[in-house]
Amino acid sequence: EKLIGLFTYETYQDDEVIIREGDIGDSLYILFNGEARAYCGDALVASYTEPGSFFGELALFSANKKRRATVRARGETLLLRLERAPFEEALGGYRELLLQDAVFRPIDAVRQKAKEVA
């Protein structure tokens, strides 16, 4: 529950860049509503269409890693964002032990909330 409070909502408009290939990553994004697409150069490499779909997760686990793709909103898109610094602070000394569970529990909560809203 503590981690859920660390997420912020962000709204993106059609074709707006959410993350840019080559930038240093610092956040995980979870799709709440809408759609996002990932591109490497001009090639479409992934689509995020289901509430709870996520991208940017490597940024939580590895500081100073460059983004491997550009992700753009398709239509109006609502995302939940979790930044690395508060995530690591919340985990404290339990980082390695809780790493996997800390990511998937909030995703399940988002999926449930999205179903309730729909």
Side-chain angles (χ1 to χ4, degrees):
E1 289 181 25
K2 184 177 182 180
L3 286 176
I4 292 173
L6 300 177
F7 284 89
T8 57
Y9 287 96
E10 294 188 356
T11 302
Y12 293 85
Q13 301 305 313
D14 188 43
D15 206 39
E16 188 174 355
V17 172
I18 301 164
I19 62 175
R20 187 175 307 280
E21 185 175 6
D23 286 355
I24 300 297
D26 70 345
S27 302
L28 159 77
Y29 294 87
I30 301 175
L31 184 68
F32 190 83
N33 191 17
E35 184 177 338
R37 292 185 172 179
Y39 299 87
C40 285
D42 292 331
L44 177 66
V45 295
S47 292
Y48 306 97
T49 59
E50 296 294 322
S53 300
F54 60 95
F55 53 90
E57 66 278 7
L58 293 178
L60 293 184
F61 312 123
S62 305
N64 301 317
K65 284 279 194 182
K66 290 185 178 182
R67 299 287 192 185
R68 298 186 309 186
T70 295
V71 179
R72 294 180 175 273
R74 181 171 165 131
E76 186 174 79
T77 301
L78 178 60
L79 300 169
L80 294 171
R81 178 181 180 191
L82 175 61
E83 295 182 51
R84 181 178 47 252
F87 173 73
E88 288 181 343
E89 184 178 318
L91 289 181
Y94 297 101
R95 184 178 188 273
E96 294 303 318
L97 179 64
L98 299 177
L99 204 48
Q100 184 175 7
D101 189 46
V103 171
F104 292 108
R105 191 176 339 145
I107 291 168
D108 290 341
V110 168
R111 285 183 177 144
Q112 180 61 36
K113 185 68 174 177
K115 286 179 185 176
E116 292 170 9
V117 172

